[in-house]
Amino acid sequence: MTPHSNIRDGVRLDPQTFADHGVADARVLYRAVEGQLAVPAGTTVTVDTMPLGVIAAAFRDAFRSVAGHTEATGGIPHDVAVALSDAVAVTDERFRGHSVDVRGDLLPTFFAAFLGFHDAYHGGAHPVVA
């Protein structure tokens, strides 16, 4: 399930928030991360720095791939990097030390935070409150 159309905390997330970076639909990033992580449904992890770092790295890689960015062209844009960092912090705060279903809870929550922060950094209609 891609969380792009879910209303989380009363805010509808905009899958086009990365259009200015060459990613027309953020759902493509989400699917790329799911494929890269290849985590079977029902898999749980205890949330700490390690799984969140792996998820953030997977989103960085997916962004580079989908947007056509490479290390030679500067990697990922600063605002995307900051949104990822903030998504790690918020997701860590929410789930730290808990056993969480990766596909059912962890990825969708992380993705929602990532989209929300990026949208807010671009003056989006929905403020991010952590």
Side-chain angles (χ1 to χ4, degrees):
M1 171 178 87
T2 353
H4 67 279
S5 60
N6 288 351
I7 296 177
R8 297 181 78 80
D9 302 324
V11 176
R12 186 168 185 86
L13 303 172
D14 182 3
Q16 295 179 330
T17 187
F18 301 110
D20 59 333
H21 297 306
V23 179
D25 190 335
R27 294 171 290 197
V28 173
L29 294 175
Y30 189 86
R31 287 189 294 271
V33 169
E34 280 187 316
Q36 183 178 350
L37 295 176
V39 177
T43 301
T44 61
V45 295
T46 300
V47 177
D48 60 17
T49 306
M50 179 59 123
L52 293 174
V54 169
I55 290 170
F59 272 102
R60 274 187 210 90
D61 291 347
F63 187 88
R64 281 188 202 108
S65 174
V66 171
H69 292 265
T70 64
E71 291 301 329
T73 62
I76 62 174
H78 178 72
D79 57 332
V80 173
V82 173
L84 278 171
S85 179
D86 289 346
V88 167
V90 166
T91 307
D92 181 56
E93 185 176 310
R94 180 166 180 187
F95 292 125
R96 171 66 82 164
H98 292 102
S99 182
V100 179
D101 182 301
V102 175
R103 287 177 152 243
D105 295 312
L106 189 58
L107 278 177
T109 299
F110 185 93
F111 186 64
F114 179 40
L115 288 179
F117 279 116
H118 188 268
D119 188 51
Y121 299 154
H122 280 78
H126 309 294
V128 175
V129 179

